[in-house]
């Protein structure tokens, strides 16, 4: 299994309780997304999924320390390329919302129990 495959499985495991599809369907649904493994001490602990300016982060293993710098570097690439980054978080996922806010995301709108957030250079630099 490649690091990207491990990262994708970890992201799925982190969100599967909010999905109505299995792993095989999930992999098919995100097949055209870029998968960037998040590593700590040489092992994959999660991943970042990117498609155009949409970005999602998930962990399979809780990091021992902050890996915000790694995610910020990835976020910077998306913002540099597209001018902003977007993500969607379930409204009840308070930890996920706080994490996004610490990265510089701000709420744009809410719909169907989800919150759309945006980050541009002015928010996180």
């Amino acid at each position: 299994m490649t690091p990207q495959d491990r990262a994708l499985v970890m992201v799925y495991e982190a969100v599967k309780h909010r999905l109505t599809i299995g792993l095989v369907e999930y992999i098919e649904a995100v097949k055209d997304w870029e998968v960037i493994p998040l590593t700590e001490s040489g092992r994959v602990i999660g991943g970042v999924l990117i498609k155009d300016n949409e970005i999602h982060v998930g962990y399979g293993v809780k990091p021992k320390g902050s890996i915000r710098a790694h995610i910020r570097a990835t976020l910077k690439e998306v913002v540099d390329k597209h001018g902003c980054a977007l993500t969607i978080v379930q409204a009840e996922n308070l930890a996920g919302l706080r994490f996004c806010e610490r990265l510089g995301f701000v709420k744009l709108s809410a719909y169907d129990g989800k919150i759309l957030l945006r980050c541009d250079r002015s928010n996180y630099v």
Side-chain angles (χ1 to χ4, degrees):
M1 188 180 285
T2 68
Q4 286 80 9
D5 291 339
R6 280 194 293 280
L8 188 56
V9 169
M10 287 183 169
V11 171
Y12 171 77
E13 289 295 325
V15 300
K16 72 180 182 182
H17 63 282
R18 294 190 294 264
L19 301 176
T20 59
I21 59 175
L23 177 60
V24 172
E25 294 89 357
Y26 180 78
I27 290 171
E28 179 65 22
V30 298
K31 68 182 178 187
D32 56 344
W33 289 62
E34 180 181 4
V35 179
I36 301 171
L38 294 172
T39 60
E40 184 176 69
S41 301
R43 77 177 222 244
V44 176
I45 63 167
V48 178
L49 276 65
I50 301 171
K51 182 177 181 182
D52 300 323
N53 69 336
E54 188 172 343
I55 185 169
H56 297 279
V57 178
Y59 295 96
V61 176
K62 184 176 180 177
K64 293 176 185 171
S66 175
I67 61 169
R68 205 176 319 163
H70 183 106
I71 295 170
R72 281 187 183 265
T74 303
L75 183 58
K76 180 183 180 315
E77 291 178 24
V78 172
V79 171
D80 285 349
K81 183 174 182 179
H82 298 284
C84 71
L86 300 173
T87 196
I88 300 167
V89 178
Q90 296 290 329
E92 75 273 2
N93 183 358
L94 299 179
L97 289 169
R98 284 191 301 272
F99 177 76
C100 290
E101 289 168 354
R102 286 193 308 269
L103 288 172
F105 282 87
V106 295
K107 180 179 172 182
L108 286 181
S109 63
Y111 61 95
D112 297 332
K114 300 173 187 168
I115 298 177
L116 175 64
L117 301 126
R118 174 189 167 117
C119 180
D120 61 31
R121 190 168 319 286
S122 67
N123 295 344
Y124 83 96
V125 174

